Amino acid sequence: MIVVILMMVGLYMVMSRFNLVKKLIGLTIFQTSLFLLYISLGRIDEGTAPIIDASKDYAYSNPLPHVLILTAIVVGVATTALGLALVLRINDAFGTIEEDEVLLEKRRDYSQHKGGEG
Amino acid sequence: MMSIDTALKLGILAPLITAILVPVLSVRANWRDAAGPIGAVITFIAALHVAGHVRDGGTAIWTLIEISPGLSLTFKVTPLGAMFGLVASGLWILAALYTTGYMRGNHEKHQTRFAACYAIAVHAAMAIAWSGNLLVLFIFYEILTFSTYPLVTHKESREAIKAGRIYMSILVGTSLMLLLPAIIWVWITAGTLDFTDGGILAGTLDPSYAPWLMVLFAYGVGKAALMPIHRWLPNAMVAPTPVSALLHAVAVVKAGVFTVLMVIVYIFGLDFLAATGASTWLVWVAAFTILASSIIAMTKDDIKARLAYSTISQLSYIVLGAALATAAAIEGAALHIVMHASAKITLFFCAGAIYVNAHLNKVSQIDGLGPRMPLVFIAYFLGALSIIGVPPLGGSWSKFLLMAGAVDAGLPIIVAVLAVSSLLNVYYLLEPVFRAFFRPTNTEIKVDRHLLTILPPVITAGISIALFFAVDLLTPLTSMMVMP
Amino acid sequence: MSIITYNLPALVVALPLLMAAVIALIPSRRVAWVLTLMTVISVTFAAYGNALMTIGASVSYELGGWPPPWGIEFITDGASRVMAIIIASLSLVSTLYAKPLIEKEIHLDDIPRTYAAWLLTIGGMMGLVMTADAFNLFVFLEISSLSAVTLVAMGAGVDRRALMAAFNYLIIGAIGATFYVIGVGFCYAVTGTLNMADLATRLPEATSAPVVVGLAFMATGMMVKAAAFPVHMWLPAAYSYAPSAVSSLLSAVATKAAIYVLARILFTVFGGLEDVTGLIMTWVLIPLSILAMFAGTILAIFEHDLKKMLAQSSIAQIGYITLALGIGTTATVTAGFIHMVNHAMIKGGLFMAVGALAVTLGRRANLASITGLGRAMPITTSALLVCGFSLIGLPLTAGFISKIYLISALLDEGQGVITALVLLSSALSVVYLWKMIEVMWMRPAPEGTKIQENPWMYGPVWVLAVANIIFGVYATPVVALARDAAMALMGGGA
């Protein structure tokens, strides 16, 4: 349930916010929901951490999803880092990180281009 | 004596080599302009050789490469192809000479590009004539379209570019949207695309689909200029006259009707058509096109526009003959390719000669010009008579056979259509002659004499007469088409 | 088998990834380019070698020696073979072409890192097509996407709009990838495996609801990456504002890799669930593909900027390929793969030619600025013409082969209406190409002398133009490879 809520919150944020940093936050929330989904898959009722102890007969959680999610988290971090780097460059180039204002600036570029060609 | 293989390769490659040599030789205008006629003569000799070989019952096949399994680039000369090859290469000799005179007389720009594209167009026409299957035919059909585009838009004026757009959109559009799927349809039903005596569709294609396939072919071949996809042809008349003469009276449009004929004879097969009646609708469309374009032609004052509509009408004679699908009609249609080519190129040569020498292009302007350009107008008169179908000119044979074919098919009304159309021809083709000889002269018009523009129409007019007497050289080929 | 030949499948992936790290540290742009080129050449040799060694077979490679389904498996079968060859060949040509353009369009200090990202993209895509592990695929997907985003952002040196394009590409791409992983999660939940072949055998036995949800998520995610309509919005901006060299690389191969994965999912992984995939293909993939064909073509007709025009045209071309997949017979899938190969050559060549025009002009190439260039830059523009003819499928070019195979496959299925739509859209594509041709050749050249053409730029363009002709005249190898690919995909599920 939490997974679905987080997923929707994240997606909504990506789509509805104009602020680029907020978009990235939304993306991160969206990805976090994915992590939770996987972790919940690995859970087994009454299970314990998957550290094999031959002397006792435990039920272990499935460790594979954890490993996968470690990878996914790395990917997520890389995505966020790249996104933030881009936001910085956008701020340098356009002087704003609000998407609608960037669009305005872009339109100005476009009309300059057209004007230049006569 | 060269072998048949050599002749076949030479006929296809000589125009291509000419096209390559033209830019190389362009440092000297004389060398460049000699390349065309010399290439044409070589091509014609090869075509003669091939035609003779085929007439004697020989085969000529050249497989270039297999594109992918089941699809190969193969040339194989059919009797009809042999005839079309003769026409295209033979008239190219005269057209090449004429082109030189016309382009120099008019001081046109980009003569090298013009000559190169011209030779490529002839190359494509030869390859179409001798194509061994529908794929090769389609490939060179497209090459023909694209190589003639720079010729149509040669003047690069706004009007020429607009005409070029119409030209391309109709020809490329129809071929890609209708002809190509038709070919693929044949491929997946019959499993082959080879031109085969008696057709390949009998027994493989569901007869109820046959009329639809025929629609795809008849309208896919935009170059046959059936109404209502004829508009590219009058538009193409913005091209310099040598283009109109060889390409839009002979090579391009004849490639169109040639395709229709090939499809009917060697893909559908006459028996299959007779059994399914797939081409009955085409008879009526062709008949309508004949009459409607004749009537439009009467209203045109521009000589070339008038000739263009006349061409549309005459092309439909050939389509009509093909669609009747009786032996006599097919023979008539095949002969008409030759007869109309020699006659119509004469008319265009004359129109061009009038333009170059007197700078006139309207019917209403040429009053009294006849006595001052007698050779040109006599040639014009003979060409017109041939198209009307008066003996002793070549056109009478084909018209006679077409009428006989219509009777065979049990459609006497078509005979009436042909007769009415001939009357209309008399009016709109002969009007310029009467004006030129029987109206008072406008002495202000200056008349030059560029020999290279006057001689070719005289020669082609002579050919039209010769064809009347020498038709027996061709009839073995036409009868092989219907009775293999 | 020697150790090298045995490890070829891993080499094609690992080599570019490793070399990327090295190249990022090299200060000299020359050395960086030479190293990149050498890497790509080796990868090409490896890809071809691997293909030759395994021809006609399906060879599995266990990464790290762990046997599947536990370890990660790389697979060389008909489909991944053809993809690896496309990616390697086009990367090689693009790398050759990249040098003068990257030096002109990208800030000097950034060049070595650009090459690093370049190699990461190539390595990521190679991994994408080689891997047989659903989760590993996600990792490669992200490696290639993130580095591609970086490359697109490098276009900011010329046009700052590249940054926004890259940002949107990043966000949309990340969402697509996440969708894909969610789908994988569902499948994993019911089957407990991530190996594709293993999934294919276990999925039909599993409970259906999560499987269907998983399929929907995976397919949606891949469609985003493949820029299938209507989730293609990132593509036109990203391709048109990216540096020219990058546009040519990405347009030639990036979406193809995603389409390949889509095909893998539909035909191999879920091959046993034909009723479900059939529904998706009939009611989602085919209608969307048809819309894409028309939307892309029509937008391209009204576009003035050449790179955007080509990008819109890519949307339409992707539509043809996904349509072929959607019909889902061996013949149409073969046609789809043929078109993937051919379109890579066509669009790669077109983007390269337009890039060469833009760099030579020193401004964006649009219908106004290329006026008369047909005479001023005859060598580049005639290559553009050849690739353009191939795009509209004229005979004797590769595009024609795609077209006849696609149409004959469609007609064979009795899909008359769809055939007519395909023909209509391809005829419309003549219109935008013609606009280009008219302004280039039918208008007088701009004042000034003849423009000097750089052989480093037009050379690679001509390589692709000639390839278009060769594979238009002699298509047998392409057809055979594509047929192998279709058999490998379709046969795997049955």
Side-chain angles (χ1 to χ4, degrees):
Chain A
M1 196 60 212
I2 286 187
V3 172
V4 177
I5 292 174
L6 278 180
M7 203 180 276
M8 291 307 127
V9 166
L11 260 186
Y12 176 74
M13 233 170 129
V14 175
M15 288 181 197
S16 64
R17 294 298 119 166
F18 284 119
N19 187 301
L20 299 180
V21 174
K22 287 188 183 162
K23 265 183 192 275
L24 273 180
I25 295 173
L27 186 67
T28 316
I29 295 176
F30 180 53
Q31 287 178 332
T32 309
S33 75
L34 166 80
F35 305 156
L36 287 178
L37 171 75
Y38 267 74
I39 300 298
S40 64
L41 289 180
R43 192 189 123 80
I44 292 171
D45 285 340
E46 311 277 308
T48 177
I51 304 164
I52 293 183
D53 182 349
S55 63
K56 291 183 184 126
D57 188 24
Y58 287 128
Y60 299 114
S61 309
N62 184 348
L64 187 62
H66 301 166
V67 179
L68 297 182
I69 281 324
L70 270 180
T71 319
I73 289 173
V74 172
V75 172
V77 168
T79 311
T80 316
L82 182 57
L84 286 172
L86 278 174
V87 171
L88 273 180
R89 295 285 299 273
I90 288 173
N91 193 29
D92 285 349
F94 293 90
T96 173
I97 54 167
E98 296 289 327
E99 195 180 15
D100 44 352
E101 290 169 25
V102 174
L103 282 176
L104 266 179
E105 286 275 311
K106 272 169 78 175
R107 202 156 298 144
R108 201 164 301 149
D109 277 12
Y110 185 67
S111 52
Q112 272 173 3
H113 254 91
K114 283 219 123 169
E117 277 134 19
Chain B
M1 205 61 207
M2 62 184 147
S3 78
I4 183 67
D5 280 349
T6 324
L8 186 64
K9 287 171 191 170
L10 200 60
I12 290 167
L13 294 181
L16 187 63
I17 294 167
T18 311
I20 295 167
L21 281 181
V22 162
V24 177
L25 296 177
S26 64
V27 282
R28 294 260 188 99
N30 283 338
W31 291 1
R32 178 194 66 201
D33 293 341
I38 292 172
V41 169
I42 294 172
T43 313
F44 182 61
I45 292 171
L48 265 180
H49 191 71
V50 169
H53 184 77
V54 171
R55 198 185 59 173
D56 299 337
T59 51
I61 298 181
W62 177 27
T63 299
L64 196 59
I65 191 170
E66 185 160 75
I67 293 182
S68 73
L71 293 176
S72 62
L73 275 185
T74 302
F75 296 99
K76 177 168 170 273
V77 185
T78 55
L80 183 61
M83 252 163 66
F84 181 43
L86 271 182
V87 173
S89 57
L91 294 179
W92 183 31
I93 301 176
L94 298 165
L97 289 171
Y98 181 83
T99 306
T100 309
Y102 183 94
M103 298 306 272
R104 289 187 177 183
N106 260 356
H107 308 290
E108 296 269 355
K109 284 179 290 185
H110 307 305
Q111 291 193 15
T112 304
R113 183 184 76 186
F114 186 87
C117 285
Y118 206 85
I120 292 177
V122 176
H123 162 66
M126 292 305 290
I128 289 174
W130 294 348
S131 54
N133 58 43
L134 268 176
L135 179 75
V136 178
L137 199 153
F138 180 77
I139 290 172
F140 286 96
Y141 182 96
E142 293 293 342
I143 292 179
L144 185 55
T145 311
F146 278 83
S147 62
T148 45
Y149 174 77
L151 301 176
V152 170
T153 55
H154 185 75
K155 287 184 185 132
E156 294 185 3
S157 60
R158 199 170 282 275
E159 187 201 1
I161 289 176
K162 186 164 159 274
R165 244 180 239 164
I166 297 174
Y167 186 80
M168 291 308 284
S169 57
I170 293 183
L171 291 185
V172 177
T174 53
S175 67
L176 289 184
M177 288 178 64
L178 303 172
L179 183 57
L180 181 60
I183 291 173
I184 293 172
W185 189 356
V186 171
W187 189 38
I188 60 178
T189 27
T192 174
L193 289 174
D194 295 342
F195 294 125
T196 312
D197 291 325
I200 55 176
L201 286 177
T204 50
L205 183 73
D206 183 346
S208 60
Y209 287 137
W212 296 106
L213 184 56
M214 189 53 109
V215 170
L216 288 184
F217 272 116
Y219 282 104
V221 184
K223 291 191 168 97
L226 270 182
M227 281 186 174
I229 51 164
H230 64 284
R231 276 186 52 231
W232 62 271
L233 183 56
N235 273 293
M237 292 298 145
V238 296
T241 309
V243 177
S244 311
L246 182 66
L247 301 177
H248 297 122
V250 181
V252 173
V253 291
K254 292 295 165 8
V257 289
F258 173 79
T259 308
V260 174
L261 262 175
M262 289 295 273
V263 165
I264 284 182
V265 177
Y266 295 111
I267 298 293
F268 279 92
L270 296 184
D271 297 334
F272 182 63
L273 272 189
T276 58
S279 60
T280 319
W281 66 272
L282 190 56
V283 173
W284 300 112
V285 171
F288 172 78
T289 306
I290 291 174
L291 292 181
S293 54
S294 297
I295 291 166
I296 297 174
M298 292 198 297
T299 66
K300 296 288 173 189
D301 189 31
D302 187 289
I303 300 179
K304 283 175 70 182
R306 185 176 285 202
L307 293 179
Y309 275 99
S310 159
T311 304
I312 296 173
S313 161
Q314 298 291 320
L315 291 175
S316 278
Y317 277 50
I318 299 166
V319 175
L320 177 79
L324 285 171
T326 58
I330 295 284
E331 285 193 60
L335 273 184
H336 203 60
I337 289 186
V338 184
M339 303 306 178
H340 175 248
S342 66
K344 191 48 75 59
I345 201 171
T346 311
L347 299 188
F348 271 109
F349 279 161
C350 292
I354 296 167
Y355 179 67
V356 173
N357 295 322
H359 303 286
L360 298 175
N361 59 8
K362 295 259 192 303
V363 175
S364 53
Q365 292 169 336
I366 59 171
D367 290 356
L369 209 59
R372 298 168 65 191
M373 305 176 74
L375 281 176
V376 171
F377 277 96
I378 288 169
Y380 181 94
F381 183 58
L382 289 173
L385 286 182
S386 179
I387 287 180
I388 295 165
V390 180
L393 287 143
S396 55
W397 284 116
S398 50
K399 215 165 219 178
F400 170 72
L401 281 169
L402 281 173
M403 287 184 176
V407 175
D408 285 351
L411 291 168
I413 190 165
I414 294 300
V415 180
V417 168
L418 292 174
V420 171
S421 149
S422 297
L423 287 179
L424 295 173
N425 284 342
V426 171
Y427 174 76
Y428 68 78
L429 286 179
L430 292 185
E431 187 201 357
V433 182
F434 288 112
R435 276 177 177 267
F437 283 106
F438 302 116
R439 290 278 180 93
T441 311
N442 179 355
T443 45
E444 283 166 26
I445 296 169
K446 227 174 101 237
V447 176
D448 298 336
R449 283 193 181 76
H450 292 279
L451 192 65
L452 280 179
T453 61
I454 296 172
L455 225 50
V458 174
I459 297 173
T460 52
I463 292 175
S464 280
I465 299 176
L467 280 173
F468 177 79
F469 298 103
V471 72
D472 279 346
L473 293 175
L474 294 174
T475 41
L477 286 171
T478 59
S479 53
M480 278 168 73
M481 281 173 64
V482 289
M483 283 172 290
Chain C
M1 226 189 261
S2 83
I3 186 147
I4 291 184
T5 49
Y6 175 72
N7 286 312
L8 280 177
L11 263 178
V12 295
V13 180
L15 194 63
L17 297 184
L18 286 177
M19 287 309 287
V22 176
I23 286 167
L25 299 175
I26 285 174
S28 152
R29 59 194 155 89
R30 276 236 176 79
V31 178
W33 180 73
V34 171
L35 272 179
T36 309
L37 185 64
M38 277 163 54
T39 312
V40 178
I41 290 175
S42 334
V43 169
T44 313
F45 271 116
Y48 275 86
N50 189 35
L52 285 177
M53 306 270 303
T54 59
I55 201 96
S58 166
V59 177
S60 158
Y61 172 83
E62 295 153 7
L63 209 61
W66 296 90
W70 298 282
I72 291 168
E73 180 193 12
F74 275 14
I75 193 151
T76 315
D77 63 3
S80 60
R81 187 154 47 226
V82 61
M83 295 310 294
I85 288 179
I86 301 181
I87 294 173
S89 321
L90 268 297
S91 304
L92 181 58
V93 181
S94 305
T95 310
L96 275 173
Y97 164 86
K99 184 173 179 283
L101 283 100
I102 282 186
E103 282 171 13
K104 277 222 169 127
E105 291 187 336
I106 291 174
H107 193 270
L108 286 185
D109 300 339
D110 288 337
I111 287 178
R113 274 168 278 164
T114 308
Y115 285 123
W118 181 271
L119 281 182
L120 281 178
T121 312
I122 295 171
M125 284 187 296
M126 277 294 188
L128 200 58
V129 299
M130 298 301 293
T131 186
D133 182 281
F135 193 84
N136 187 237
L137 194 149
F138 161 73
V139 177
F140 282 120
L141 191 65
E142 284 308 80
I143 292 177
S144 67
S145 304
L146 291 181
S147 45
V149 168
T150 318
L151 287 175
V152 170
M154 293 293 183
V158 179
D159 192 324
R160 60 181 181 163
R161 284 174 283 183
L163 290 171
M164 249 344 257
F167 187 80
N168 284 331
Y169 184 15
L170 175 76
I171 296 277
I172 299 176
I175 292 177
T178 312
F179 263 66
Y180 172 78
V181 191
I182 293 173
V184 172
F186 276 105
C187 295
Y188 177 71
V190 291
T191 61
T193 180
L194 289 167
N195 182 284
M196 287 185 181
D198 213 24
L199 276 171
T201 49
R202 292 198 195 180
L203 277 173
E205 304 154 11
T207 25
S208 65
V211 172
V212 174
V213 174
L215 170 61
F217 270 111
M218 283 166 89
T220 316
M222 271 335 212
M223 280 169 75
V224 172
K225 288 286 184 186
F229 190 86
V231 278
H232 64 278
M233 301 82 70
W234 58 269
L235 184 140
Y239 283 10
S240 61
Y241 294 120
S244 301
V246 174
S247 316
S248 67
L249 176 72
L250 294 184
S251 67
V253 289
T255 51
K256 310 285 182 310
I259 297 174
Y260 158 83
V261 175
L262 186 63
R264 262 261 121 116
I265 294 171
L266 285 176
F267 298 120
T268 308
V269 179
F270 290 88
L273 297 160
E274 267 165 16
D275 42 341
V276 184
T277 53
L279 276 180
I280 289 193
M281 292 194 291
T282 319
W283 295 108
V284 181
L285 205 52
I286 295 179
L288 288 181
S289 308
I290 292 173
L291 282 175
M293 275 157 31
F294 283 94
T297 309
I298 290 168
L299 285 174
I301 290 175
F302 291 108
E303 193 54 68
H304 280 266
D305 188 277
L306 292 197
K307 275 170 97 178
K308 273 197 181 159
M309 185 192 278
L310 294 180
Q312 298 287 11
S313 135
S314 285
I315 306 282
Q317 301 288 326
I318 291 165
Y320 293 130
I321 302 174
T322 50
L323 174 73
L325 298 183
I327 305 283
T329 63
T330 312
T332 57
V333 176
T334 305
F337 270 91
I338 294 176
H339 196 49
M340 268 202 245
V341 178
N342 291 343
H343 182 247
M345 298 189 298
I346 296 168
K347 228 8 113 46
L350 283 173
F351 265 108
M352 283 182 187
V354 168
L357 295 184
V359 167
T360 316
L361 289 171
R363 60 199 291 193
R364 286 189 74 82
N366 56 31
L367 287 179
S369 65
I370 60 164
T371 303
L373 282 189
R375 299 217 182 95
M377 299 177 67
I379 306 178
T380 315
T381 48
S382 45
L384 182 96
L385 193 65
V386 172
C387 296
F389 281 167
S390 192
L391 181 73
I392 55 178
L394 286 185
L396 298 183
T397 60
F400 180 65
I401 305 294
S402 312
K403 202 181 226 169
I404 51 175
Y405 273 91
L406 180 59
I407 292 175
S408 64
L410 286 175
L411 279 179
D412 223 14
E413 278 300 291
Q415 301 281 5
V417 179
I418 293 181
T419 312
L421 291 173
V422 168
L423 289 166
L424 182 65
S425 126
S426 83
L428 281 176
S429 63
V430 181
V431 176
Y432 58 80
L433 189 80
W434 207 254
K435 279 172 115 173
M436 235 167 19
I437 293 177
E438 251 180 30
V439 293
M440 281 196 290
W441 273 279
M442 290 297 143
R443 303 262 172 86
E447 65 284 353
T449 48
K450 207 166 167 168
I451 299 167
Q452 194 62 43
E453 291 179 82
N454 181 347
W456 283 98
M457 287 191 211
Y458 66 67
V461 186
W462 264 105
V463 170
L464 289 183
V466 169
N468 267 306
I469 294 175
I470 290 177
F471 291 118
V473 178
Y474 182 64
T476 315
V478 176
V479 174
L481 274 176
R483 190 158 287 154
D484 270 6
M487 301 295 264
L489 287 180
M490 317 285 287

